[in-house]
Amino acid sequence: MSELTGVIHDIGYQRYTGPRLGRRHVFGALYLHGVRTAFGLGRSAKAKIFPWLVVAIVLAVAAGLTAVRAQFGETVMTYAQFADAMSWLVIFFVAVAAPELVSRDLRSGVLPLYFSRPLPRGDYALAKLGALATALWLLLGAPQLVMFLGAAFTTGDGMSGVWHELLDLLPGLLYAALWAVVFASIGLLIASLTGKRAFAAGGIVAIFLMTTPVVGVLSIMPSRAINELAFLASPSTLVGGVGTWALGDLLVPEGQGGGMPIGDFGPVYAAAAVLLVAGCVTLLLLRYRKVAAR
């Protein structure tokens, strides 16, 4: 009977000897990948249809507003008003992008790979949140830049006119950042609760749209204070209330009405927005601590 012998074959496996970039580079790579994912970059053509359709719509609206101003010299919409007008598109963009960023990872079970060193659990959530907020800000900010360039090249006041336009643009970009942070915080928190993208998308749309009737009901209550605080009930009107208080005529120029009737409760709206974002981020971090512990 022949004696059994074992043979070790060298199949070419080698120990990795390259640079280990560490936590900061992993976070940056995850963040950039998230921004690309939100716009469907690096994915199939089908995944690019909706995000780039939204991009095309907002850019077309911005181009139309720029053309009207260049032709007739009339400002149809301020930079901050543009963010308000496009908020309904932002809701659906979040409903599609947020599940792509986090629900797919929950469903496919790859989170243990992400949570291995050197990436802490919280970094994953914050990188995804930053990516979604950046994508939303670009969605609202890039068209404003188109409007600014059109106004700057057609102004008849030289550099003073360009400077005036720039002073109008900067608050509009900050207002777009507020929309982006609030919507991204809420949308990503909801999407992190399920691995099914359809459920996540439906939940996001429901939160944003089903709270609007509550505002309408509170707005017709007999109490004036309740009427002025009614806009706290919906994320969209909450952001609008902050804009009305903080931007004033930059959001609603004189002669176009007074914006949302929030009375003297502007600081309350600002505090509510901060608490909303802080609460959503805290719950998001706790959610991924729980997921990682399974």
Side-chain angles (χ1 to χ4, degrees):
M1 183 174 180
S2 61
E3 185 177 346
L4 295 177
T5 59
V7 179
I8 298 176
H9 297 280
D10 182 5
I11 58 177
Y13 288 128
Q14 298 182 15
R15 187 180 295 273
Y16 177 74
T17 58
R20 299 184 183 275
L21 299 178
R23 173 183 176 182
R24 180 169 61 88
H25 290 83
V26 174
F27 183 92
L30 190 59
Y31 165 78
L32 290 176
H33 180 265
V35 175
R36 288 170 54 85
T37 299
F39 289 106
L41 300 176
R43 299 173 58 223
S44 65
K46 181 180 178 181
K48 295 180 176 68
I49 294 176
F50 181 80
W52 287 100
L53 175 62
V54 175
V55 171
I57 292 173
V58 295
L59 289 177
V61 172
L65 295 172
T66 302
V68 170
R69 182 168 181 179
Q71 186 70 26
F72 302 104
E74 180 181 354
T75 302
V76 179
M77 190 180 295
T78 65
Y79 299 106
Q81 283 178 317
F82 179 86
D84 278 345
M86 296 295 106
S87 61
W88 64 278
L89 274 175
V90 175
I91 293 174
F92 292 103
F93 188 91
V94 172
V96 173
E100 289 292 338
L101 287 172
V102 295
S103 298
R104 288 166 59 91
D105 292 343
L106 284 169
R107 187 177 182 86
S108 60
V110 300
L111 288 179
L113 298 176
Y114 282 119
F115 294 144
S116 62
R117 292 183 301 174
L119 182 71
R121 299 180 178 101
D123 283 12
Y124 172 88
L126 294 177
K128 296 288 187 175
L129 177 61
L132 182 56
T134 300
L136 296 177
W137 183 75
L138 291 173
L139 184 67
L140 293 174
Q144 292 184 38
L145 184 59
V146 171
M147 295 167 60
F148 167 76
L149 293 175
F153 281 113
T154 58
T155 182
D157 299 328
M159 289 304 299
S160 63
V162 175
W163 177 251
H164 178 75
E165 284 296 325
L166 182 61
L167 293 179
D168 288 343
L169 171 66
L170 294 179
L173 294 178
L174 290 175
Y175 189 46
L178 177 62
W179 277 103
V181 171
V182 171
F183 276 42
S185 300
I186 298 173
L188 203 68
L189 174 61
I190 297 171
S192 70
L193 300 177
T194 177
K196 297 183 178 181
R197 287 178 290 171
F199 288 172
I204 292 170
V205 173
I207 288 294
F208 284 110
L209 297 186
M210 294 182 65
T211 53
T212 303
V214 179
V215 175
V217 171
L218 295 176
S219 297
I220 61 175
M221 298 292 285
S223 171
R224 179 178 177 182
I226 294 178
N227 297 159
E228 294 176 345
L229 291 171
F231 303 102
L232 293 171
S234 174
S236 300
T237 53
L238 170 63
V239 175
V242 176
T244 298
W245 170 68
L247 299 181
D249 290 343
L250 291 176
L251 180 61
V252 183
E254 188 175 354
Q256 295 186 14
M260 289 187 176
I262 61 173
D264 297 326
F265 291 108
V268 176
Y269 279 82
V274 172
L275 291 175
L276 176 62
V277 172
C280 288
V281 173
T282 301
L283 291 174
L284 184 66
L285 294 175
L286 291 175
R287 164 63 175 162
Y288 278 98
R289 181 179 298 178
K290 180 180 178 182
V291 170
R294 290 179 179 177

